Amino acid sequence: YLKISKLALAFAIIHSKPPGKSSKEYIEYLAKTVSEQDFQWKWKVEVLEAEVLRLRQELLLNRISPRFCLENRKQDTSAETLLSRESMNPTSYSSQLEDSGCDVCNDSAFDSLGTASDFHQSQHNVNTSKHWLERVPPLNLCRISKEQSLTAPVQFLQCLLEIRKLSEGQILQADFSELENDSFTICNSVSQLLDGLTVFYKSPKFPAQSFLTEGVCVLISLITDTKLSNHVLKKCFKKMEEFKKNLIQIILRNRSVNRFQALHSVSQTLGLLGRNNILRNSLISLLLSEVRQFAEQLLQAHQVQSVYDITQYENIFLLCMILEQLLRNETQESNISSSDCGGKEKIKFLKNLDQIILHLSDEFPLFSLYLWRVSVLLNSGQMQ
């Protein structure tokens, strides 16, 4: 029956083909038409899925705190407020990323990875701005821009943080147990935020818009909040791990000439993620693995006198700086057990490290110095 149906379709196509076109050309034309229709349906489905998620977010907020959502509806503002405010109120990131192409951040900039004054300033702006209570309007059946895909989860998660803040001050009554009953919404919102940030960080023309900075602020606030972080990390830990891996690869693989200040912002985000005790150990393990693998590859290339990736060599120093800062933060927090810092990767990293440093020290003295400094932190009494 299937063969007969295919044969009948083939005859129908041949008989219906317009004059001046071969059967093959007509079939290719029909296939292209069908594929275009499929593509249109796909993005319509994506828009509708985004609208369903928005409705679920609104419903979840209403379940957690009906009073908050009631006051939220009184705010007659649009979702474009966050984006339109960009030209009026640029953040400090904008000035940082007006890059000359050769301005490599100095050590003092990386010493502030743990504190990140720019992050605190932008976080203060988020906490005090009215867009905490903005309500995202329904989506139109059109393509979702990258900005919209990032703004929607940011606003939802900001509302969660604001409810948490108001409930702590006993201004609102909130039932956060509802997060357990609707893990889909919180997971998808965090995943959407992480995917949106990854897309922007991968962009060759690195954006310095305020909504990107505020997206990072919301993410950090979520994982540092004592009540919300359990829900986020428990349900989205794998996604967070994937996000950290993506950021590390963005640093390593970026070959743009005008890249250093953009990569510094990515490095800052990694450093801020490392302030969370749970994420810190896994991030240290990832960094140890990448630095170790590059050191072994560099040693092999040096021994056989082959070429090595000079761009990756330049970028690896950013990972070394982040790693050193995270290890310093770990040693300074005496109340945190650091016996498992790095885990198996710590053992792998320290194995044969002295030989690697010995062979590379003449040709690559700066990289060897960083390897030695990291090994000292790992071997210090506080890290045992």
Side-chain angles (χ1 to χ4, degrees), residues 364-380:
F364 307 98
L366 184 58
F367 181 59
S368 300
L369 177 62
Y370 269 105
L371 291 178
W372 175 78
R373 286 164 64 166
V374 170
S375 67
V376 169
L377 288 170
L378 288 172
N379 284 318
S380 66

Side-chain angles (χ1 to χ4, degrees), residues 277-329:
N277 299 333
I278 298 176
L279 298 178
R280 182 188 301 163
N281 281 345
S282 61
L283 179 55
I284 289 176
S285 294
L286 290 174
L287 292 171
L288 284 174
S289 176
E290 290 294 340
V291 174
R292 174 183 59 82
Q293 291 179 36
F294 180 80
E296 292 174 350
Q297 294 170 6
L298 187 62
L299 175 62
Q300 184 178 6
H302 177 65
Q303 288 176 337
V304 298
Q305 295 298 307
S306 64
V307 295
Y308 63 93
D309 192 335
I310 183 64
T311 303
Q312 194 171 21
Y313 177 78
E314 293 173 346
N315 294 342
I316 199 70
F317 286 99
L318 291 169
L319 299 188
C320 292
M321 293 174 184
I322 301 168
L323 178 58
E324 183 179 357
Q325 185 62 48
L326 291 177
L327 291 175
R328 289 187 183 279
N329 292 343

Side-chain angles (χ1 to χ4, degrees), residues 66-237:
R67 179 185 165 191
F68 178 85
C69 293
L70 182 64
E71 295 187 2
N72 185 17
R73 292 177 186 274
K74 296 178 183 178
Q75 302 291 328
D76 188 20
T77 56
S78 69
E80 282 76 21
T81 304
L82 182 61
L83 298 178
S84 63
R85 200 173 62 233
E86 175 60 35
S87 59
M88 300 173 59
N89 186 26
T91 64
S92 58
Y93 272 38
S94 301
S95 59
Q96 284 183 4
L97 295 175
E98 291 173 358
D99 188 23
S100 64
C102 57
D103 183 15
V104 185
C105 302
N106 55 27
D107 288 340
S108 62
F110 280 92
D111 289 339
S112 65
L113 268 176
T115 55
S117 58
D118 291 332
F119 161 74
H120 287 301
Q121 180 60 38
S122 57
Q123 187 182 42
H124 174 73
N125 294 337
V126 172
N127 290 337
T128 56
S129 63
K130 291 183 179 180
H131 80 265
W132 281 86
L133 300 177
E134 286 178 359
R135 182 169 176 264
V136 182
L139 295 170
N140 296 321
L141 282 180
C142 58
R143 292 187 184 278
I144 306 174
S145 67
K146 293 192 296 183
E147 291 83 358
Q148 288 174 323
S149 66
L150 187 59
T151 302
V154 165
Q155 290 178 327
F156 165 69
L157 297 172
Q158 283 174 336
C159 286
L160 272 183
L161 289 166
E162 179 67 3
I163 293 175
R164 169 86 170 105
K165 179 181 176 181
L166 294 175
S167 64
E168 272 191 337
Q170 298 182 345
I171 301 174
L172 278 180
Q173 290 185 346
D175 181 13
F176 286 97
S177 62
E178 290 292 336
L179 292 176
E180 293 286 354
N181 302 328
D182 191 1
S183 59
F184 171 85
T185 302
I186 187 71
C187 284
N188 276 31
S189 300
V190 174
S191 297
Q192 196 177 44
L193 173 58
L194 296 175
D195 290 340
L197 289 173
T198 302
V199 168
F200 278 113
Y201 280 132
K202 285 182 177 179
S203 176
K205 295 182 179 179
F206 189 85
Q209 290 90 341
S210 61
F211 64 84
L212 177 63
T213 307
E214 294 182 24
V216 175
C217 292
V218 168
L219 179 62
I220 302 304
S221 298
L222 274 176
I223 63 176
T224 53
D225 187 280
T226 55
K227 199 162 191 174
L228 296 178
S229 61
N230 291 333
H231 297 284
V232 175
L233 293 177
K234 182 169 63 175
K235 298 177 177 66
C236 309
F237 185 77

